[in-house]
Amino acid sequence: MDYEPFEQCLWAFVRRDYPTAAKIAMGILETGPSLGMVQVFLISMRRMGMAPDDTIGQTLHESAVGPWESTLLDVTLGRREPASVIAEADNGLQRCQALCYAGTYLITAGDLDAGRQHLRECLDMDVECMETQIALMETELLDQWIQAVPDADKEVNRLRGSFHALRSNGDHGQSIHIAHLVLALVIGRHGGFHPETGRSLNELAMAYAATGDWQQAEPLLAPALQMALLFDGVSSEVYATILDNLAQAKHAQGQLEAAEEMHRQALQSFSWAVGTDHPSYATCLGNLALVCANLDKHAEAEGFYREAVDLRRRLFGTDDLRYIGMADGLTNVYIDMGKLSAAEAQVTEIVEIARRLKGADSPEYGSRLKQLGYLYHQLGRHSDSAARYREALAIDQSKLGFDHPTAIDTVAKLALSQKLSGEFGEAMLSYRYVMGHQSGAELAVTTHNLAVLHLDVGDSRSARRNMEEAIELHRSAGLEDSVDHAMLLIGKAAVDSSEGQYDDAESTLRRAMDLIERKAGRDNEHYANACAGLAKCRMAQQRFDEADELLQTSLRLMERAVGGDAPAIAVTVGMRGAVQLAKGHWEGAEELLRRAVELLGRDTDAERKPPYIELLRDLGSALVAMGREREAIDVVLTAERYQDGLILGKSTVVGIASLAVDQPVALLNILGRPQFQSPAMVAQLLEVVWRRKGIVAEADFVRRREEIHSRDHDGGDAHSKFAEVAQSIENGEIPEDIEDLLGDVLATFARSLRYGMYPKIESAHQDVYRHLMEGWPEQGELSREEWLERLSDYAGRAGALMGNRDRLESELRILFPGEGWLGEVLQRVTLEAVRSRLPAGSALVEFLCVPALNESAIPAQGESPWGPDRYYAFVVTPDRDDDVRLIDLGRADSIDANIALLRRHVSRGDRARDIDVDKAAADDVARASGEAAVALRKALVDPLRIDGRTRLFVAPDAQLYTLPFEILPLDDTRLIIDVHEIAYLSTGRDLIPAHPTPGPANPPVVIADPDYDLALDTPPP
C-alpha cells in the first residue's frame, strides 16, 4: 500500500490546511473505504465552514462498515451528543474511537479545552488504531509542527486568511481553534510580549466573543491592551480597537459603568488615530450608545446613535449591514423614549433596505415587516399593522410552510391586529387556526385573545367560557404567578364588568395589580392596563373621582411606555375626558377629548374605529353643554358620517354591534330646535336616519320571524353528531370528556348564531344543555337509560334549533343578496334618490322616536342626561325646491297614551278595560277616544303642513306602528282617509329598489296570432 497520501493528508491536517486535507482524503476514499479518512474528510469540511449536505452524509453512512461506525459519523456530523456516544462504547477500541471523534468535534465547535482533554484520554489508552493518529494530529504532532515550522510568518498569514473567511461566513466556533494555532505560532516566532502577540490575543478573544463567550474573551483582551499601549500608544487605532473590545466584554458581563468609561476613552483614541470620519469611529459610537441606552441615558444614546448612523450613511450608504445594526439600535432608543413616530421612520427605512438587499420574498424582509407591524401596533395603527403582518405571513408560508411555528406565530400577531382594527370575522378565523396548532401557555394566550374578541362583538357568554378556559390552561402550565397570568385576569375582569359584576371585576383586577407589582413593579404598561380596567368599573358605579385618579395613573404609565404622542394612549385620554363630562367640568373635558381625537386621528383608519367615533360624540356633548351647539353639529355630524362608513364597510350584519344602528340622538336634539336648523344639515341627518333605521327594521324583521317555524325544521347534522355519542354510550364506551364534548358542540352551535343576533335560539341552547347535564349519570340523578332518552330529546331539540338557524340565515341571504343589502342599497340611500321615487303631489313622512338629551346633566351629582322620549318627523316632497323639514312633535308619553285609548275603543267597542277612568260610562269612553283621535291628529298631522298632498308615504316608529292614521278625524267631519291615500313603509329607504333600476325601456312590442302549425319550408333530409 502507498502510505504517502496518508502522510500528506496527515500533515495537511496538522497544518490546518483543510482544503488540501479534504482533497487528499477524498482521493484515498476513491481507492477503498476508510473510516479514518471519512472522518478526516468530514472534520476538514466542517472546519472550513462547509457542512456536508444530507446526500453526502447518506453516502458516507452507506460506506460505513456497521452501526458503530455510523454512530461515530453522526458525532462528527453533529447529529449525536458526544457524551452519549462515549457511554455506548463496549470495549477499549470503541471508547478510543468515541473519545477521538468527540474531541475533534468539540474542537471544531470551539470548545478546545474539553476537546483536547478527550484526545489526551484517547492517547493514554495506548490502543493502536487510526483514531490515535487523528488524536496525535490534534495534539503532539501539532505541537511538533508549531516548533519546527520553517516559515512561521507565511503560515500565520495563511491561517489568518482562513480565520477571517470563517468569521465572515459566521462560522465562529470553527474559527476559534485556528486563532489558537495562530497565537501559538506567533508566540513561538516572536515570544509572549510582542505587537503580533497582542494582535493574535485580540483575534482569539473576538472569536470567543462572537460565540457569546465573553468570559473567555476578557482575560485575553487585558494583556492585548497592555501590549498595544506599550508598542502602539494611546493614540493608535490598535489600542483604540482593543480598548473598545474590552469595553464590550465589560458590558456583556454587566459592568456597565466601567464599559461606558472605556468606550468614551476608546472614542477619544479613535478620534486621534483615524479622525471622526472613519468606520471605526462610527462603530465605537454605536457601542457607546448601546451602553448609554442600557444605563437609561436615552438622550445621550440617541445623540450617539444618530451621529453613528449619519456617519455610516455618509461612508457606505444605507445598503450596509452595520448601518442596519446601528439603525436598529436607534429605533430601540426611540421606542424607549416614546418617540414612536421617529421609530416608525427608522423602521420603514430598514424594511426598504431589507427588500433591496435580500428580496421581497426573503425571510429577512418578512422579519422586518413584522418589526414594522409590531411598531404600528404600539402606535395604535392596527390596520397598518395587519397589512404588514399579512405580507410577512405570505412570505413565512411560502418559505417555511403553513404549519411552521414561525408562520403560526405570525398568524397570531395578525389576528390581534385584525381584532383591534375591527376585522372581527377575519380575526375569529385567524385565532381558531392558531389554536389548532398550539398547546399550553401559547394556547392560553390565544384563547384569551379570542375571549376578548367575543367580548368586543357583544358575546359575553362565549367570552366568559373562553376566558375561564384560558386562565385554567395558563394555571396548568405552571404560570399562575406571572405577569402574563395577570393580563389574563385583566381580561376576565373585563368580562365581569360587561355583565355588571363590578365587585367580582374589582377583586380580579386587584389580584392582577398585586401580581404585576410583585413581578414587574408599577412602572409598566401592564399596570397601566389594570388601572384603566378598574377605572371602567368605577365609572360604571358612578364613582368618578376614584376613576379619574386611576386614569391619571394609567395615563402617566402609558406615556412613559409609548410616549405622549402615540395613538395608543388616546383611549385612556378619552376616558379621562368622559369622566370630566360626568363631573360637569366641560372645559377640561373638551381639552382632553380634543387631545384624544387628535392622537387617535393619526391612525390611518381612525374613522373606522368605534372608539374614535365615541370620542367625537363625547366632544360634541361637551360643546353642547357649554352652549356651543353650532360647533357641536359639525363634530357630531362627522361622527355619524364615520359611523355610516363603518356600516357600509360591512356586507352582512355580522359583527355590527348595537352602537352601529343607534339613531343620532344628539343631532336630533340639536337640530330639532328651529334656531339651529339648516336645510343642508337636516338633509344629511335624514340620510343618517334612513341608514340606521333601515338596518334596525330589517334585523327586527328577521328576529320576529325566528319565533315562527321554530318546531318544523330537521337538524340532520346535529342528529348525526349526537347519534355517534349515543351509540358509544349504548356500547358501554362513555367518553371521559363527554361534558366537554357536548359543551363544545353547544358552543359551536352558539358561535354560529351571528354573535348573539338570535338571542332566543341561543338561550334555548343554554336551557337544553343545562337540563341535559343536570341528569348526567355520574351525578347519580338518572339511570343510563333515562339519560340516553334525555340525550335523544336534546339531539332532536338541538337539531330543530339548528334548522331554525339555517332558515334564518337563508332569510338573511334573501334580504342581503349578492354583496349584501348593506353594500347594495345603503350607499344609494340619498335624499335625491328617495325624492326621485316620490310621485307628484305626494309626501314622505319619516317618524322617529328618540329620548330627549340634556347634555348639561351631571351624572356625578346623580343627574341623568336622558329625558322622556319625543317624536320627530321629517317631511320630504318630490319638489326639489322644497326643503326637507324637521318637526319636533312633542313628548311621546302623551301621544302614546292617546294611541292606546283610541285603539282600545276601536278594537273593543265601548268596553273601557284598563282605562284610567275606572267607572266611566260607554259614552264617556267614546268621547274620550274621539278626543284622543283629534289630539293625535293635532300632534302628528297638523304640524306637517301636508294639506295639499293627496298621497302620503308614512314610515312610523315606536307606538306609531300601531296607529291607523286613516281613521284620524279632520276638522270638517271627514277622516284622513277621505283626503289622503296612505302607504306605510318601515323606512323611506324602502322606496329605493334592492337593485339599481336599469335604463329606460324600449317601446312595447305586441306579438299576436302565432301560427302554431308553422313548419320549415324545406323538410330536413
Side-chain angles (χ1 to χ4, degrees):
M1 177 180 284
D2 183 6
Y3 289 98
E4 184 177 354
F6 286 90
E7 187 174 350
Q8 291 174 344
C9 181
L10 181 149
W11 283 109
F13 190 90
V14 169
R15 294 174 58 243
R16 298 321 190 228
D17 186 358
Y18 295 122
T20 301
K23 182 179 179 180
I24 297 173
M26 182 56 70
I28 295 173
L29 288 172
E30 290 175 353
T31 64
S34 168
L35 177 62
M37 286 299 102
V38 168
Q39 293 285 13
V40 169
F41 172 77
L42 287 177
I43 295 167
S44 299
M45 292 283 287
R46 288 181 62 82
R47 291 187 181 179
M48 288 188 291
M50 300 168 63
D53 60 24
D54 292 338
T55 303
I56 294 177
Q58 182 63 32
T59 302
L60 294 174
H61 270 288
E62 291 172 356
S63 68
V65 177
W68 175 248
E69 287 73 13
S70 290
T71 300
L72 295 175
L73 287 173
D74 282 337
V75 174
T76 304
L77 289 167
R79 298 175 180 174
R80 289 288 304 273
E81 283 292 328
S84 68
V85 175
I86 294 172
E88 291 177 16
D90 290 335
N91 53 53
L93 175 60
Q94 288 188 356
R95 181 171 179 81
C96 179
Q97 291 174 325
L99 286 168
C100 172
Y101 297 129
T104 56
Y105 171 78
L106 291 171
I107 290 174
T108 303
D111 191 350
L112 273 64
D113 291 338
R116 286 174 178 167
Q117 182 178 347
H118 284 319
L119 293 174
R120 290 191 185 95
E121 187 177 348
C122 168
L123 291 171
D124 290 343
M125 292 182 67
D126 198 22
V127 175
E128 291 189 10
C129 59
M130 180 67 183
E131 282 67 34
T132 59
Q133 296 301 312
I134 295 176
L136 285 169
M137 291 157 59
E138 296 278 22
T139 54
E140 294 177 10
L141 290 177
L142 179 62
D143 294 339
Q144 293 175 20
W145 178 74
I146 291 172
Q147 294 172 8
V149 61
D151 191 346
D153 291 339
K154 180 179 178 181
E155 292 298 324
V156 165
N157 290 333
R158 178 182 62 81
L159 290 169
R160 276 184 172 153
S162 299
F163 170 80
H164 291 300
L166 289 168
R167 289 289 307 277
S168 297
N169 292 330
D171 300 313
H172 304 297
Q174 291 91 324
S175 72
I176 291 175
H177 77 285
I178 300 289
H180 264 282
L181 182 54
V182 169
L183 178 60
L185 287 169
V186 168
I187 291 176
R189 174 75 170 83
H190 301 289
F193 198 71
H194 189 274
E196 279 297 308
T197 304
R199 175 186 175 187
S200 300
L201 284 168
N202 180 65
E203 288 174 341
L204 178 57
M206 297 317 290
Y208 277 117
T211 66
D213 192 352
W214 286 99
Q215 285 186 329
Q216 290 271 20
E218 184 178 356
L220 298 168
L221 288 167
L225 184 64
Q226 290 291 331
M227 295 180 207
L229 179 62
L230 289 174
F231 293 116
D232 301 288
V234 72
S235 60
S236 68
E237 184 178 3
V238 173
Y239 175 82
T241 299
I242 297 176
L243 179 59
D244 196 49
N245 291 340
L246 182 57
Q248 291 183 70
K250 297 291 186 184
H251 183 189
Q253 296 176 84
Q255 302 173 43
L256 299 182
E257 290 78 6
E260 180 190 5
E261 181 60 29
M262 286 183 177
H263 278 309
R264 291 184 185 275
Q265 292 174 10
L267 192 66
Q268 183 64 59
S269 292
F270 275 123
S271 69
W272 293 332
V274 297
T276 59
D277 200 28
H278 190 275
S280 297
Y281 186 83
T283 300
C284 189
L285 275 170
N287 294 334
L288 176 57
L290 180 59
V291 174
C292 288
N294 289 336
L295 285 168
D296 292 330
K297 298 180 179 181
H298 293 113
E300 286 187 85
E302 179 188 0
F304 291 137
Y305 268 132
R306 291 181 65 175
E307 186 179 353
V309 166
D310 290 342
L311 181 52
R312 292 294 303 190
R313 183 188 293 115
R314 243 185 7 258
L315 293 175
F316 302 104
T318 58
D319 292 355
D320 170 63
L321 292 179
R322 292 204 174 186
Y323 173 83
I324 294 175
M326 290 179 182
D328 276 333
L330 180 57
T331 298
N332 293 332
V333 169
Y334 280 143
I335 292 173
D336 290 341
M337 297 176 72
K339 296 182 176 182
L340 297 185
S341 297
E344 178 197 353
Q346 202 68 53
V347 176
T348 301
E349 181 189 26
I350 296 172
V351 169
E352 179 57 27
I353 294 171
R355 187 191 65 77
R356 287 199 307 270
L357 291 179
K358 301 295 184 178
D361 61 345
S362 65
E364 292 84 354
Y365 178 62
S367 177
R368 292 299 181 176
L369 284 170
K370 283 182 270 189
Q371 181 186 6
L372 183 57
Y374 181 68
L375 182 59
Y376 282 141
H377 169 77
Q378 291 178 292
L379 282 163
R381 294 169 53 182
H382 301 299
S383 288
D384 290 335
S385 176
R388 300 306 173 276
Y389 282 132
R390 217 175 267 116
E391 190 176 351
L393 178 61
I395 296 172
D396 286 346
Q397 292 176 337
S398 171
K399 297 296 183 180
L400 304 173
F402 284 79
D403 296 333
H404 192 277
T406 299
I408 299 302
D409 181 66
T410 305
V411 177
K413 292 180 172 65
L414 171 61
L416 179 60
S417 293
Q418 288 171 328
K419 179 185 82 71
L420 294 172
S421 62
E423 301 174 37
F424 297 134
E426 295 85 346
M428 190 78 68
L429 293 174
S430 296
Y431 276 135
R432 296 211 174 280
Y433 179 77
V434 171
M435 290 168 67
H437 295 77
Q438 289 182 327
S439 62
E442 289 183 340
L443 178 59
V445 172
T446 304
T447 305
H448 163 269
N449 292 338
L450 180 61
V452 175
L453 175 56
H454 279 301
L455 192 62
D456 288 343
V457 298
D459 185 0
S460 62
R461 187 180 66 82
S462 294
R464 179 171 294 282
R465 179 174 53 79
N466 284 126
M467 194 66 72
E468 291 173 352
E469 180 182 348
I471 291 174
E472 183 56 35
L473 281 168
H474 217 246
R475 186 180 293 115
S476 300
L479 298 171
E480 191 173 6
D481 194 36
S482 66
V483 173
D484 285 342
H485 195 76
M487 301 313 296
L488 302 189
L489 293 176
I490 293 173
K492 181 181 181 300
V495 176
D496 291 335
S497 182
S498 72
E499 295 179 344
Q501 301 176 22
Y502 301 117
D503 291 340
D504 291 343
E506 178 176 352
S507 174
T508 303
L509 284 167
R510 291 292 184 193
R511 285 169 52 203
M513 294 167 77
D514 290 343
L515 182 53
I516 294 169
E517 185 174 3
R518 184 157 44 85
K519 291 294 182 179
R522 291 190 174 194
D523 194 7
N524 56 73
E525 191 174 349
H526 304 304
Y527 197 84
N529 290 333
C531 289
L534 187 54
K536 289 181 182 178
C537 292
R538 293 287 182 265
M539 292 171 70
Q541 295 169 309
Q542 308 288 297
R543 295 158 65 178
F544 295 107
D545 288 335
E546 296 175 49
D548 197 20
E549 184 177 345
L550 286 164
L551 287 171
Q552 289 183 58
T553 300
S554 176
L555 186 58
R556 184 173 63 254
L557 296 176
M558 288 290 291
E559 286 176 335
R560 288 180 190 169
V562 299
D565 61 347
I569 70 169
V571 172
T572 307
V573 175
M575 288 175 63
R576 279 211 68 209
V579 167
Q580 300 307 309
L581 268 180
K583 294 166 70 173
H585 302 164
W586 318 122
E587 292 82 1
E590 179 190 5
E591 180 181 354
L592 287 166
L593 290 167
R594 286 195 184 278
R595 181 188 174 198
V597 167
E598 192 273 330
L599 287 171
L600 198 54
R602 296 175 184 174
D603 195 346
T604 55
D605 61 349
E607 67 276 5
R608 293 180 52 204
K609 292 186 175 180
Y612 186 69
I613 296 166
E614 280 301 286
L615 287 173
L616 289 172
R617 287 174 171 170
D618 285 345
L619 177 57
S621 297
L623 294 172
V624 172
M626 292 185 289
R628 294 155 59 184
E629 284 87 351
R630 297 195 184 278
E631 290 181 64
I633 290 173
D634 291 334
V635 172
V636 179
L637 193 57
T638 299
E640 302 305 337
R641 186 169 63 251
Y642 288 161
Q643 186 67 62
D644 280 347
L646 189 62
I647 296 170
L648 289 171
K650 304 285 184 178
S651 61
T652 68
V653 293
V654 177
I656 296 183
S658 58
L659 171 67
V661 295
D662 285 346
Q663 291 295 357
V665 177
L667 270 177
L668 281 163
N669 275 271
I670 300 173
L671 294 179
R673 289 175 273 176
Q675 66 267 33
F676 298 119
Q677 288 185 8
S678 72
M681 290 293 185
V682 172
Q684 291 182 61
L685 176 59
L686 177 57
E687 290 178 356
V688 172
V689 169
W690 278 334
R691 283 189 281 271
R692 308 289 171 80
K693 194 175 177 183
I695 295 175
V696 173
E698 299 294 355
D700 282 347
F701 169 75
V702 175
R703 291 190 180 99
R704 288 196 301 273
R705 289 291 302 275
E706 82 174 46
E707 299 178 5
I708 306 172
H709 313 299
S710 60
R711 305 187 185 93
D712 304 328
H713 296 271
D714 178 50
D717 290 341
H719 278 304
S720 63
K721 290 179 184 294
F722 285 104
E724 293 176 10
V725 178
Q727 186 62 49
S728 297
I729 296 173
E730 288 178 356
N731 295 337
E733 302 170 355
I734 300 179
E736 294 182 0
D737 59 345
I738 182 67
E739 283 193 70
D740 294 335
L741 174 63
L742 295 175
D744 287 343
V745 173
L746 172 72
T748 302
F749 290 164
R751 281 195 300 269
S752 302
L753 298 179
R754 297 282 184 178
Y755 310 125
M757 187 170 178
Y758 312 116
K760 292 187 178 179
I761 293 183
E762 198 165 356
S763 175
H765 267 297
Q766 288 181 273
D767 292 343
V768 173
Y769 177 70
R770 191 179 303 111
H771 175 65
L772 175 67
M773 297 317 299
E774 284 172 358
W776 173 233
E778 294 297 325
Q779 300 175 2
E781 298 181 10
L782 292 177
S783 68
R784 179 174 296 179
E785 291 73 17
E786 291 171 329
W787 190 82
L788 280 172
E789 183 179 350
R790 184 172 290 186
L791 175 63
S792 176
D793 177 61
Y794 178 28
R797 293 168 66 182
L801 290 169
M802 287 299 294
N804 188 33
R805 192 285 313 272
D806 293 340
R807 177 192 54 74
L808 293 172
E809 294 295 332
S810 297
E811 289 185 358
L812 277 176
R813 284 191 288 272
I814 294 171
L815 289 171
F816 311 112
E819 296 181 1
W821 172 71
L822 298 175
E824 283 284 327
V825 178
L826 282 189
Q827 57 189 346
R828 294 188 286 112
V829 178
T830 64
L831 174 61
E832 291 308 312
V834 172
R835 179 173 269 160
S836 67
R837 307 294 298 182
L838 291 173
S842 67
L844 166 65
V845 182
E846 187 83 43
F847 289 102
L848 200 64
C849 182
V850 298
L853 184 60
N854 178 14
E855 305 282 15
S856 300
I858 303 176
Q861 297 178 6
E863 300 173 4
S864 172
W866 300 109
D869 288 349
R870 301 184 69 85
Y871 280 111
Y872 292 87
F874 293 88
V875 179
V876 182
T877 69
D879 305 328
R880 297 185 182 277
D881 295 335
D882 194 0
D883 294 328
V884 178
R885 288 179 285 120
L886 171 61
I887 303 111
D888 182 355
L889 300 176
R891 289 180 52 154
D893 51 6
S894 60
I895 293 174
D896 291 346
N898 283 326
I899 292 174
L901 186 60
L902 178 60
R903 283 182 55 80
R904 289 187 183 110
H905 178 66
V906 171
S907 61
R908 299 174 181 175
D910 59 359
R911 292 176 295 175
R913 288 182 299 189
D914 302 324
I915 297 179
D916 292 338
V917 188
D918 293 333
K919 299 181 180 180
D923 289 344
D924 294 333
V925 174
R927 185 166 51 257
S929 62
E931 292 172 356
V934 171
L936 287 170
R937 188 211 72 220
K938 290 181 178 180
L940 298 174
V941 180
D942 289 356
L944 305 180
R945 304 197 307 274
I946 52 173
D947 295 342
R949 303 292 168 176
T950 58
R951 188 175 182 185
L952 301 180
F953 293 90
V954 176
D957 196 23
Q959 290 302 311
L960 298 186
Y961 277 112
T962 67
L963 174 63
F965 280 80
E966 293 90 340
I967 68 171
L968 298 182
L970 300 173
D971 286 335
D972 55 2
T973 72
R974 291 182 300 169
L975 302 177
I976 287 183
I977 194 173
D978 297 323
V979 178
H980 303 287
E981 177 187 349
I982 297 180
Y984 290 96
L985 309 171
S986 61
T987 170
R989 183 202 59 76
D990 292 348
L991 291 171
I992 298 177
H995 299 282
T997 304
N1002 293 323
V1005 176
V1006 178
I1007 301 176
D1009 194 20
D1011 183 356
Y1012 294 104
D1013 297 322
L1014 181 65
L1016 293 174
D1017 293 337
T1018 304

